[in-house]
Amino acid sequence: IMLHSTLALSLLLIAVTSNLAMAIKKEKRAPQTLSRGWGDEITWVQTYEEGLYQAKKSNKPLMVIHHLEDCQYCQALKKAFAENEEIQEMAQNNFIMLNLMHETTDKNLSPDGQYVPRIMFVDPSLTVRADITGRYSNRLYTYEPQDMVFLIENMKKALRLIQTEL
């Protein structure tokens, strides 16, 4: 009986330990759930408020991506965004990054409506840059997968505008 319970205890210990190891592994990867597929190398903030705080603190512009999981245009844009090395690198190094699947209370983030996908930039001075627009006059802040070069230009513009305005 003694041997039997020792064996059972060891097996239990092994089970608990491996579960713990898996939990620890998951813990390390947790921030990546915030990427939602937009780029796992990027450090994402969780909320708009946190994004504004980090932008002000770091003097980097905040890039806000509004999207929805079941929107095919969002999915297509996400794929192009995630696969573009230049965008991923700039996003990681020069921007505070936020992707949102819900609207914020800040009406400045939806100057021409609450459509998705839309990408807006907020200056470290906490000014929403409504002047940094995409190519489409009916949805000023939307981008399509073929617009990545244009989005890169707008990211550079967001960075340039900080330098000149401080």
Side-chain angles (χ1 to χ4, degrees), residues 37-121:
W38 289 90
D40 286 343
E41 300 308 308
I42 297 170
T43 307
W44 297 88
V45 293
Q46 200 156 0
T47 63
Y48 183 53
E49 293 67 31
E50 185 191 344
L52 293 174
Y53 172 77
Q54 293 292 347
K56 199 175 176 73
K57 196 174 90 168
S58 66
N59 200 36
K60 292 177 179 177
L62 169 65
M63 184 173 180
V64 183
I65 304 171
H66 285 93
H67 64 105
L68 289 170
E69 211 47 68
D70 55 2
C71 150
Q72 68 188 46
Y73 303 105
C74 301
Q75 293 297 346
L77 179 63
K78 179 193 293 189
K79 189 176 184 317
F81 187 96
E83 286 172 0
N84 188 300
E85 284 181 29
E86 190 174 356
I87 286 179
Q88 292 290 307
E89 192 179 325
M90 269 202 292
Q92 172 61 12
N93 297 322
N94 308 110
F95 288 84
I96 303 301
M97 296 295 297
L98 172 67
N99 69 76
L100 284 179
M101 291 170 49
H102 57 84
E103 292 295 334
T104 68
T105 52
D106 187 346
K107 293 289 171 263
N108 296 313
L109 283 183
S110 49
D112 64 342
Q114 297 191 335
Y115 52 86
V116 291
R118 72 179 192 282
I119 299 179
M120 300 208 64
F121 297 94

Side-chain angles (χ1 to χ4, degrees), residues 59 123 129 131 156-166:
N59 200 36
D123 215 59
R129 301 298 320 212
D131 54 341
K156 289 178 177 168
K157 188 193 261 183
L159 291 168
R160 257 199 326 273
L161 289 171
I162 296 176
Q163 266 91 55
T164 56
E165 288 182 9
L166 284 182

Side-chain angles (χ1 to χ4, degrees), residues 132-165:
I132 303 180
T133 55
R135 297 167 55 168
Y136 309 99
S137 52
N138 59 334
R139 292 184 162 200
L140 291 176
Y141 307 99
T142 204
Y143 296 84
E144 292 187 350
Q146 65 270 23
D147 299 331
M148 292 305 96
V149 172
F150 201 77
L151 180 57
I152 288 169
E153 284 312 303
N154 276 348
M155 289 171 82
K156 289 178 177 168
K157 188 193 261 183
L159 291 168
R160 257 199 326 273
L161 289 171
I162 296 176
Q163 266 91 55
T164 56
E165 288 182 9

